[in-house]
Amino acid sequence: MTATAIETMTVEAKAPDRARALGRMRTADSGFRIMTLAAALIVLALLLGVAISLFIGSLPAFKAFGWHFFISDAWSPPKQRFGAGAAIYGTLVTSFIAMLIGVPVGLGIAVFLTELCPPMLRRPIGIAIELLAGIPSIIFGIWGVYYFRPFMQDYLQPLLIHTLGNVPLIGYLFAGPPFGYGLLTASLVLAVMILPFVTAISRDVFETVPPVLKEAAYGVGCTTFEVVGNIVLPYTRVGVIGGVMLALGRALGETMAVTFVIGNAPHIHASILGQGTTISAMIANTFADADPGLFTSSLLAMGFTLFVITFIVLAAARLMLARLEQRG
Amino acid sequence: MANSLYVGRRARNSFWAALCYAATGFGLLWLALILGALLWKGAGGLSLDVFTKVTAPPGVKGGLLNSIVGSLIVTAIGLALAAPIGILAGTYLAEYGRHSKLSIVIRFVNDILLSAPSIVIGLFVYQFCVVPVGHFSAAAGGFALAIIAAPIIVRTTEDMLGLVPNTLREAASSLGMPRSLVIRNVAYRAVMSGLVTGVLLAVARMAGETAPLIFTALGNSLFSVNLTQPMSSLPLIIYEFARSPYPDQQKLAWTGALIVTVAVLGLSIVARVMAAPKRGER
C-alpha cells in the first residue's frame, strides 16, 4: 500500500519533466516533417528554376530573331546572326534514326530475357545490358571517334553510297563523300546508348503480365512468338510506348557522344551521311567561345528549346507509364 | 493442310526467336567492343605517373592527378548536397505525403528531372551560379552534379521506403514512438542497404558526367583544391585530350576513360550486389 503511494508521488513529481520531454519530442518530430517537406519543395523549385532561368536568358535571342530562330540555319557570330534550325533538324533526325534501330533491338533483347533466355543466363545477360546503360556518354564519345568513325568511313558509308546511294529518291539520303563524321554515325552511337533503356523498361513491364494469361495462351498451343505478339505486347502496349518515349528523351538530350562524331557543322543536308550538329552538341562545342550578348543568349535559347521538347516527351512518357501502374 | 499451317507457325516462331537472339548478341557485342577498346588502349598507359603527376602541355610527361582529385572533390560536393535533400524528399513522398496532391506533382517533377538532358542542367547552373559570381568554380560544378544526382536518390529512397511493411511502422507507433523516430529508427534501418544503393548509383552517375561541367567547373590544367576556382575532372580532361592531336595526350585520355569506366561500373555493380535480396531472406 505504501509502495503504491510512493510510486504515485514520484510519478506526479516527474509529470512536468515528462511534459517537457514530450514537448521537445513534438518539436523534433514536426521539425523533421518540415525538413522533408522543404527538401521535396526544393526538387519542385529546381525544375521551375531551370525553366525560368533559361527562359530569361534566352529572351534577347527570341526578341532579336522571333520565330525565324527556330527555322533559320544561319550561324554567323561575326554578323550576329543565329538560328537553331540546323541544330533542331540534326537533333530530330539523329534521334529518329536512333529510335528506328534502338527500339526494335531493345525490345528484342527484352523478349529474349523474359521469354527465351535460359534461367541460368538471365541475370548475367540482364546485368551486362544494364552495364551498357551505365557506361558514361563520354566513353561512347571517345570510342566512337577512335573506333566507330573509321569503321563508318572505311566500310559502312562507302557500302551505303554504292548500294542505296544509287536508288532513286532514297539515293539523296546517302549522297556525298564518306567523311566518317556525320548524322548517321551519331545516330548509330545513340542507338546503342538508348537500347539498354528500352530493354530495361520493356523487361519490367513485360514482367507485369499475369503469368495466368501467358500460360493460358501456351495452353491452347500458341508459339512463343504468338504469345508475345498477341498477349504480352497488347497487354503492355502503353508501358512499352512510355519506355520508348523515355529513351527518346535520352536521345534528344544526349551531348558528349554526339559531339565527338557528328562533325559539328551547323548546316542542313538532305544526306544523312553529311556532317551536322544537334542542339546539345552545338551548345557544348561553342559555349566556350561565345561572347556574352546575343551569342550566349542564342545558345541559352537553344537549351530552352531542348528543355521544352524533352519536357513534353518525358511528360508524355511518364503519364503513359503511370496509366499502366494504375491498372497493375 | 493442318500440318503446313503448323510448320508455318513454327517457322515464324523460329524466325522471330532468331532475331531476338541476334538483338541480344548485338547488344552484348557493343559492350564487349567498348570494354575491349578501353582495356586495349587504356591499360597500356596505366603507370604511377598517371596518379602522381598533373596534366602537362604536349611534349612534357604528365599524369592525371589534378583531374582525379578534381573528380573526387566535385563528386563529393554533389554528394554532400544531393544525399540529404534526396533522402529527405524521398522520405516526404513515401511517408508523410504518400497520397497528397503535392506528392503527385513532386513525383512527376522528379521523374522529369531524372531524365532531363544534363547539358540543360549545366546551362541552368551557369546562369544561376557562374554568371552572378563572374567566374567558373568547382562549387558550381558540384551543384550541377547535385541536381543530376538528387532525383536518383529521391526515386530510390521513395521506392525503398515503400517496401517497408506497414505492420512494422504500426508496431513502432503503438509503442508510442513519434513519427520521425519511427521513420529514422525503424523504416530507414529496415531498408538501409537500399538507401545506400540509391546513393551509390547517384555517385556513379555523377562520376561520369561531362556536359554539365563544361560551363561550371570548366577544367583546370593546374593542381587546385580551391572550390571557388575552376577545377579539372576526369571526364573534362578526356573531352579535351581525346580531341588533341598529340599522341601523349590521346593516350592519357584513354587511360582516364578506363579509370572513369572502372569506377562507374564498379560502383554500379557494388550497388546492385547490395540491392539484391540476400539468400535466406524472402
Side-chain angles (χ1 to χ4, degrees), chain A residues 37-109:
Chain A
L37 179 63
L41 289 174
I42 287 176
V43 172
L44 190 63
L46 279 178
L47 190 82
L48 290 176
V50 171
I52 293 169
S53 88
L54 286 185
F55 182 69
I56 291 172
S58 51
L59 273 179
F62 286 145
K63 273 197 191 126
F65 304 117
W67 283 107
H68 285 287
F69 181 74
F70 298 106
I71 42 175
S72 154
D73 73 337
W75 193 267
S76 169
K79 289 186 197 155
Q80 292 283 300
R81 299 285 311 163
F82 302 101
I88 294 175
Y89 170 81
T91 303
L92 296 180
V93 169
T94 49
S95 297
F96 178 73
I97 302 173
M99 299 301 284
L100 219 55
I101 298 161
V103 170
V105 175
L107 281 176
I109 300 176

Side-chain angles (χ1 to χ4, degrees), chain A:
Chain A
M1 221 171 99
T2 39
T4 344
I6 291 167
E7 240 174 53
T8 340
M9 273 176 64
T10 44
V11 167
E12 269 167 14
K14 275 186 184 166
D17 254 12
R18 280 197 172 197
R20 217 175 298 141
L22 201 64
R24 266 206 306 274
M25 227 143 104
R26 283 226 180 93
T27 327
D29 200 39
S30 55
F32 185 71
R33 189 197 150 94
I34 289 167
M35 270 163 66
T36 63
L37 179 63
L41 289 174
I42 287 176
V43 172
L44 190 63
L46 279 178
L47 190 82
L48 290 176
V50 171
I52 293 169
S53 88
L54 286 185
F55 182 69
I56 291 172
S58 51
L59 273 179
F62 286 145
K63 273 197 191 126
F65 304 117
W67 283 107
H68 285 287
F69 181 74
F70 298 106
I71 42 175
S72 154
D73 73 337
W75 193 267
S76 169
K79 289 186 197 155
Q80 292 283 300
R81 299 285 311 163
F82 302 101
I88 294 175
Y89 170 81
T91 303
L92 296 180
V93 169
T94 49
S95 297
F96 178 73
I97 302 173
M99 299 301 284
L100 219 55
I101 298 161
V103 170
V105 175
L107 281 176
I109 300 176
V111 170
F112 174 82
L113 284 175
T114 51
E115 302 292 331
L116 301 167
C117 185
M120 277 279 289
L121 291 176
R122 197 167 288 177
R123 228 177 115 67
I125 294 183
I127 289 177
I129 298 295
E130 281 167 24
L131 286 187
L132 191 59
I135 293 180
S137 61
I138 182 98
I139 307 297
F140 279 94
I142 187 172
W143 183 82
V145 76
Y146 280 82
Y147 283 92
F148 193 57
R149 188 199 64 78
F151 167 77
M152 289 295 288
Q153 186 168 21
D154 296 343
Y155 299 100
L156 196 58
Q157 288 188 346
L159 181 78
L160 287 173
I161 292 167
H162 291 127
T163 52
L164 292 173
N166 297 327
V167 179
L169 288 178
I170 319 176
Y172 289 111
L173 286 176
F174 301 97
F179 288 116
Y181 296 99
L183 293 173
L184 184 65
T185 314
S187 311
L188 292 177
V189 173
L190 272 181
V192 178
M193 296 186 69
I194 59 166
L195 77 87
F197 290 99
V198 178
T199 302
I201 292 170
S202 348
R203 188 187 55 183
D204 289 351
V205 297
F206 285 173
E207 277 167 2
T208 65
V209 179
V212 186
L213 279 184
K214 285 199 283 185
E215 282 158 16
Y218 280 120
V220 296
C222 284
T223 60
T224 308
F225 163 63
E226 285 163 350
V227 171
V228 171
N230 298 323
I231 309 291
V232 175
L233 281 180
Y235 188 86
T236 55
R237 195 177 51 225
V238 183
V240 169
I241 296 174
V244 166
M245 310 263 296
L246 219 55
L248 177 60
R250 288 264 162 186
L252 289 168
E254 180 45 52
T255 311
M256 298 322 293
V258 171
T259 311
F260 272 103
V261 293
I262 199 163
N264 295 311
H267 306 294
I268 297 178
H269 296 286
S271 167
I272 58 170
L273 301 185
Q275 305 191 35
T277 190
T278 67
I279 295 176
S280 46
M282 193 85 179
I283 298 170
N285 215 41
T286 53
F287 205 85
D289 314 323
D291 37 355
L294 216 46
F295 196 163
T296 302
S297 174
S298 298
L299 289 175
L300 287 169
M302 287 165 75
F304 183 70
T305 312
L306 179 64
F307 178 75
V308 171
I309 296 174
T310 48
F311 182 89
I312 294 168
V313 169
L314 293 173
R318 289 299 171 184
L319 291 177
M320 285 180 167
L321 287 170
R323 240 172 81 191
L324 189 82
E325 263 168 38
Q326 267 171 14
R327 196 176 58 188

Side-chain angles (χ1 to χ4, degrees), chain B residues 45 47-66 241 248-249 251-252 255:
Chain B
S47 68
L48 206 58
D49 281 355
V50 171
F51 300 97
T52 53
K53 289 190 175 160
V54 298
T55 49
V60 184
K61 191 110 178 72
L64 295 169
L65 177 67
N66 51 339
F241 280 3
D248 283 2
Q249 297 195 331
K251 202 172 173 187
L252 270 179
T255 308

Side-chain angles (χ1 to χ4, degrees), chain B residues 20 38 66 75 83-84 88 104 113 116 118 121 151 171 236 261 264 268 275:
Chain B
C20 288
L38 274 172
N66 51 339
T75 309
L88 286 174
I104 297 174
L113 274 180
S118 55
I121 308 282
L236 282 176
T261 312
V264 169
S268 42

